Amino acid sequence: GQLAAVGAKQGAGRRASALIRPGQSGEAASLEWTPPTAAEAREKDREILSLAWPTVLSASIDPVLSLVDTYWVSVSLGTVSLAALGPALNIEDWLFEILKTIQVP
């Protein structure tokens, strides 16, 4: 069925937020949530960053690699080679995406 949000609960600086189904009452309506402290939030931010930085680095390498290839081909080999580089970079990007998903034991 549809989910209905329980509104904010007053008192003691706490907010209550729970999802309950229409017609449901009891324990689901009494769930309470308190916001994390600043120290807890910073710790979670550090944890997320420690997990995310390899993905961010990997995602930023693709366009840089393509730009470097494009620059050197245009400077060294000319317009015909530069025209051939477009499809080649698409294949290279596709292979790079596949290789990024392979886990090394």
Side-chain angles (χ1 to χ4, degrees):
Q2 288 183 326
L3 295 178
V6 175
K9 185 178 182 181
Q10 299 294 327
R14 294 180 160 201
R15 294 188 325 194
S17 177
L19 293 176
I20 62 171
R21 288 183 172 77
Q24 182 181 10
S25 62
E27 291 181 26
S30 67
L31 294 177
E32 293 189 25
W33 177 80
T34 57
T37 64
E40 291 171 338
R42 280 192 299 274
E43 182 61 33
K44 286 294 181 188
D45 288 346
R46 283 190 202 107
E47 184 179 357
I48 291 170
L49 184 60
S50 72
L51 294 172
W53 77 264
T55 303
V56 171
L57 182 63
S58 175
S60 63
I61 287 175
D62 276 337
V64 170
L65 182 62
S66 295
L67 285 172
V68 169
D69 287 346
T70 302
Y71 172 77
W72 283 109
V73 168
S74 67
V75 168
S76 305
L77 301 175
T79 57
V80 174
S81 297
L82 187 59
L85 188 62
L89 285 177
N90 285 337
I91 293 170
E92 178 190 26
D93 289 342
W94 180 71
L95 290 173
F96 195 64
E97 292 296 323
I98 290 173
L99 292 175
K100 282 193 303 189
T101 63
I102 297 174
Q103 296 181 1
V104 179

